């Protein structure tokens, strides 16, 4: 195990080295046109990996990333004396973001929270200021104060905009996330280019905010990662379109061209954080509602459906007139004696283990519910009385032969069962049908108890097993 862990750490370090080198190579070529200079995504990607995957956040990986940056600059930029000082700005950004966000992220499977989104802004701003000031000064080459300030502003805006646009993608990515496209989702995405067209036609300073309403719409109807991806693409396109004077209408010579780019970056970066916050908040609310629904519809002790959960689950299934439904209703024999003799903890242990057996062996054939106390209900569709009786007898024997584990001993229990098979009437709902079946199965359950327990009393209709067929153990 220790060897595998060490091998995984080495693999992470090598992977980060080559990823950093590749991103540096691509970014350094893309940033040559000033309009594409925001594509320096290395720092945000590496910082996001350190935050999302805490096991990779180790000093050796900082060294690996720094070496990859130095090698790229040495091979393709021709920098020698200043390569360490300049790339130190990148390491500063990565370290500040990783250290600032790591306390809020324990595992790569954790869900994003609104609190993390709120702290993302000040952390990125702090990292951008520190990295930008250092990078701007060491790369300015001792020019005038104005040039130094412009250089710092360019560095800060680049790091800030890239961080706020890239980090949400990495932090919200879920490999197993499932999503079904619906009409509203498709319309939201298709509305993005339409708003860009409107912004280009109307132009003016206010047109830069045109995409914001549709980005919020996307945040409401799309998964967090998909919404973040749309927002990222919109941000890139908007920076390019504003810079090329396609929307926003600015004068290239006033303010200076570099300050125009700085302003565009900062404005778009601040704007794209709004839909991300909306998306994460909606996702958190949906998760909370799912947990509350599971808690309301699931019995905590047995992990089976509660009575309310059973009716809720069946309500999702169409019920047609004449459809055959079978019900097994059973409870544990002498359960009160178990609680009295061994304590309520022993009774809870029996219920929990019985719930596990039911989930493991019968979940495919039945909808299973802890109906109340020590009473359980199993419901099957399209089943005959004979088939239901065979399944019930198999369950009775299965339980009788099982040793239930307590703290200091094992315990054998038996169950008594009552069965009923019925057909749905016209316009009858699941609640009405199950109530009717339970009434008859309950009377047969008490008959099983009256005749000695550890018995199955079936449906007495034609074709059902005869009373003499029952074989108590």
């Amino acid at each position: 195990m220790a060897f595998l862990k060490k091998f995984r750490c080495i693999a992470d370090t090598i992977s980060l080295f080559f990823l950093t080198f590749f991103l540096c190579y691509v970014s350094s070529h893309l940033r040559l046109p000033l309009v594409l200079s925001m594509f320096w995504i290395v720092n945000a990607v590496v910082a996001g990996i350190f935050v999302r995957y805490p096991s990779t956040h180790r000093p050796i990986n900082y060294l690996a990333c720094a070496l990859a940056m130095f090698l790229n600059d040495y091979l393709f930029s021709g920098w020698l004396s200043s390569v360490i000082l300049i790339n130190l700005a990148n390491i500063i950004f990565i370290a500040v973001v990783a250290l600032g966000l790591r306390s809020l992220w324990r595992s790569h499977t954790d869900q994003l929270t609104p609190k993390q989104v709120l702290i993302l802004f000040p952390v990125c701003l702090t990292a951008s200021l520190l990295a930008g000031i250092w990078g701007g000064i060491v790369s300015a080459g001792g020019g005038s104060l104005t040039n130094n300030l412009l250089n710092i502003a360019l560095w800060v805006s680049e790091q800030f905009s890239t961080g706020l646009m890239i980090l949400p993608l990495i932090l919200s990515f879920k490999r197993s996330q499932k999503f079904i496209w619906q009409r509203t989702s498709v319309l939201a995405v298709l509305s993005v280019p339409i708003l860009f067209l409107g912004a280009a036609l109307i132009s003016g300073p206010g047109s830069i905010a045109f995409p914001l309403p549709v980005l919020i719409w996307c945040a409401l109807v799309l998964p967090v990662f998909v919404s973040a991806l749309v927002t990222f693409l919109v941000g890139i396109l908007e920076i390019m379109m504003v810079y090329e004077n396609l929307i926003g209408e600015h004068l290239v010579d006033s303010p200076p061209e570099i300050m125009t780019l700085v302003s565009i970056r900062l404005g778009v970066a601040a704007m794209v954080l709004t839909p991300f916050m909306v998306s994460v908040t909606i996702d958190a609310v949906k998760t909370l509602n799912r947990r509350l629904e599971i808690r309301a519809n699931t019995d905590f002790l047995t992990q089976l459906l509660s009575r309310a959960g059973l009716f809720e689950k069946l309500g999702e299934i169409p019920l047609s007139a004449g459809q055959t439904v079978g019900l097994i209703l059973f409870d544990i024999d002498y359960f009160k004696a178990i609680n009295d003799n061994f304590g309520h903890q022993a009774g809870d242990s029996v219920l929990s283990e019985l719930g596990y057996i039911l989930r493991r062996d019968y979940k495919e054939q039945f909808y299973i519910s802890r109906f109340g106390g020590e009473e359980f209900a199993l419901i099957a569709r399209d089943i005959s009385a004979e088939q239901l009786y065979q399944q019930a007898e198999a369950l009775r024997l299965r339980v009788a032969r099982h040793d239930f584990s307590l703290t200091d001993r094992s315990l054998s229990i038996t169950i008594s069962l009552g069965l009923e098979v019925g057909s749905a009437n016209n316009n009858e709902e699941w609640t009405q049908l199950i109530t009717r079946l339970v009434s008859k199965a309950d009377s047969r359950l008490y008959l099983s108890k009256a005749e000695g327990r550890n018995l199955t009393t079936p449906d007495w209709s034609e074709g059902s097993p005869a009373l003499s067929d029952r074989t108590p153990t």
Side-chain angles (χ1 to χ4, degrees):
M1 186 65 69
F3 172 77
L4 291 177
K5 185 176 181 181
K6 185 176 181 180
F7 178 78
R8 191 179 299 113
C9 292
I10 295 174
D12 288 342
T13 302
I14 295 174
S15 299
L16 280 168
F17 174 84
F18 283 106
L19 175 65
T20 304
F21 182 84
F22 172 75
L23 292 177
C24 285
Y25 174 79
V26 174
S27 298
S28 26
H29 285 78
L30 283 176
R31 71 189 305 176
L32 293 178
L34 194 57
V35 66
L36 297 179
S37 61
M38 71 86 52
F39 284 92
W40 184 261
I41 64 175
V42 183
N43 301 347
V45 170
V46 174
I49 291 174
F50 284 169
V51 175
R52 183 71 187 270
Y53 302 93
S55 62
T56 64
H57 189 221
R58 295 179 291 119
I60 187 66
N61 289 339
Y62 278 100
L63 180 61
C65 293
L67 289 174
M69 294 176 187
F70 301 157
L71 182 61
N72 174 77
D73 285 338
Y74 175 75
L75 293 177
F76 302 110
S77 301
W79 295 347
L80 294 175
S81 59
S82 60
V83 63
I84 295 178
L85 292 177
I86 291 177
N87 280 290
L88 185 57
N90 297 328
I91 301 301
I92 290 173
F93 179 89
I94 294 170
V96 173
V97 171
L99 293 172
L101 297 179
R102 71 172 181 176
S103 61
L104 298 177
W105 205 281
R106 297 180 181 87
S107 169
H108 71 277
T109 58
D110 287 350
Q111 182 182 18
L112 272 171
T113 65
K115 181 180 179 181
Q116 288 173 311
V117 179
L118 284 175
I119 202 173
L120 189 63
F121 186 93
V123 167
C124 275
L125 182 59
T126 303
S128 302
L129 287 172
L130 293 176
I133 291 172
W134 177 267
I137 292 175
V138 299
S139 63
S144 64
L145 178 62
T146 301
N147 288 336
N148 283 339
L149 291 176
L150 286 175
N151 204 33
I152 290 173
L154 199 59
W155 271 76
V156 171
S157 65
E158 177 188 71
Q159 298 293 320
F160 184 63
S161 61
T162 305
L164 287 185
M165 295 172 70
I166 295 290
L167 282 171
L169 283 174
I170 299 175
L171 300 182
S172 62
F173 177 73
K174 291 183 180 180
R175 183 168 50 187
S176 60
Q177 188 171 26
K178 296 179 181 179
F179 175 67
I180 300 176
W181 286 89
Q182 298 177 346
R183 182 180 299 176
T184 54
S185 308
V186 176
L187 288 176
V189 175
L190 292 179
S191 298
V192 174
I194 295 176
L195 280 183
F196 266 116
L197 179 60
L201 292 175
I202 297 174
S203 196
S207 59
I208 192 174
F210 267 43
L212 186 56
V214 76
L215 290 179
I216 294 178
W217 185 13
C218 290
L220 293 173
V221 299
L222 297 174
V224 179
F225 173 74
V226 180
S227 174
L229 179 60
V230 172
T231 302
F232 169 71
L233 297 175
V234 167
I236 292 175
L237 185 59
E238 190 163 60
I239 289 175
M240 296 173 64
M241 291 182 71
V242 174
Y243 184 80
E244 294 294 336
N245 212 20
L246 296 176
I247 61 174
E249 281 192 356
H250 63 276
L251 298 176
V252 173
D253 297 326
S254 179
E257 189 178 52
I258 291 180
M259 289 308 298
T260 300
L261 181 61
V262 169
S263 177
I264 295 167
R265 287 171 172 171
L266 294 177
V268 172
M271 183 185 71
V272 298
L273 197 61
T274 301
F276 186 55
M277 170 60 83
V278 172
S279 184
V280 170
T281 303
I282 293 296
D283 188 56
V285 171
K286 289 179 179 178
T287 300
L288 177 60
N289 288 338
R290 284 195 298 268
R291 289 176 179 172
L292 292 174
E293 182 179 353
I294 291 173
R295 183 174 296 181
N297 293 334
T298 305
D299 176 62
F300 173 77
L301 189 60
T302 62
Q303 298 301 303
L304 299 172
L305 293 170
S306 63
R307 184 190 291 235
L310 176 65
F311 287 116
E312 182 79 20
K313 187 74 174 179
L314 291 174
E316 301 172 357
I317 304 169
L319 180 63
S320 56
Q323 183 175 10
T324 303
V325 177
L327 169 67
I328 299 174
L329 192 67
F330 76 87
D331 69 9
I332 301 173
D333 296 330
Y334 303 110
F335 184 73
K336 184 177 183 301
I338 296 175
N339 286 329
D340 292 342
N341 295 328
F342 303 105
H344 287 278
Q345 186 175 358
D348 289 347
S349 178
V350 169
L351 290 172
S352 177
E353 194 166 349
L354 180 58
Y356 171 74
I357 292 172
L358 293 171
R359 295 195 316 271
R360 184 189 63 188
D361 298 340
Y362 296 92
K363 194 173 183 179
E364 297 299 322
Q365 305 102 316
F366 295 93
Y367 298 95
I368 311 171
S369 166
R370 183 184 177 189
F371 224 53
E374 70 273 21
E375 191 172 58
F376 295 81
L378 291 80
I379 294 174
R381 298 184 295 162
D382 303 319
I383 190 170
S384 67
E386 180 65 31
Q387 290 171 331
L388 187 68
Y389 178 76
Q390 291 173 357
Q391 292 277 14
E393 275 293 276
L395 172 60
R396 182 181 67 82
L397 296 173
R398 171 77 176 82
V399 172
R401 293 167 182 168
H402 181 78
D403 289 329
F404 289 80
S405 301
L406 304 183
T407 304
D408 56 349
R409 70 188 71 197
S410 61
L411 181 69
S412 296
I413 67 170
T414 60
I415 58 176
S416 298
L417 307 91
L419 314 183
E420 173 63 10
V421 177
S423 300
N425 299 325
N426 289 327
N427 300 322
E428 189 173 34
E429 297 181 352
W430 276 106
T431 304
Q432 299 168 311
L433 174 60
I434 298 303
T435 300
R436 176 160 57 86
L437 297 180
V438 166
S439 176
K440 294 182 179 180
D442 194 48
S443 63
R444 296 186 180 120
L445 168 60
Y446 279 99
L447 182 59
S448 294
K449 287 183 172 293
E451 295 190 358
R453 292 182 168 84
N454 191 22
L455 288 172
T456 301
T457 302
D459 183 351
W460 303 118
S461 60
E462 185 177 353
S464 299
L467 182 62
S468 59
D469 292 335
R470 295 182 296 162
T471 55
T473 302

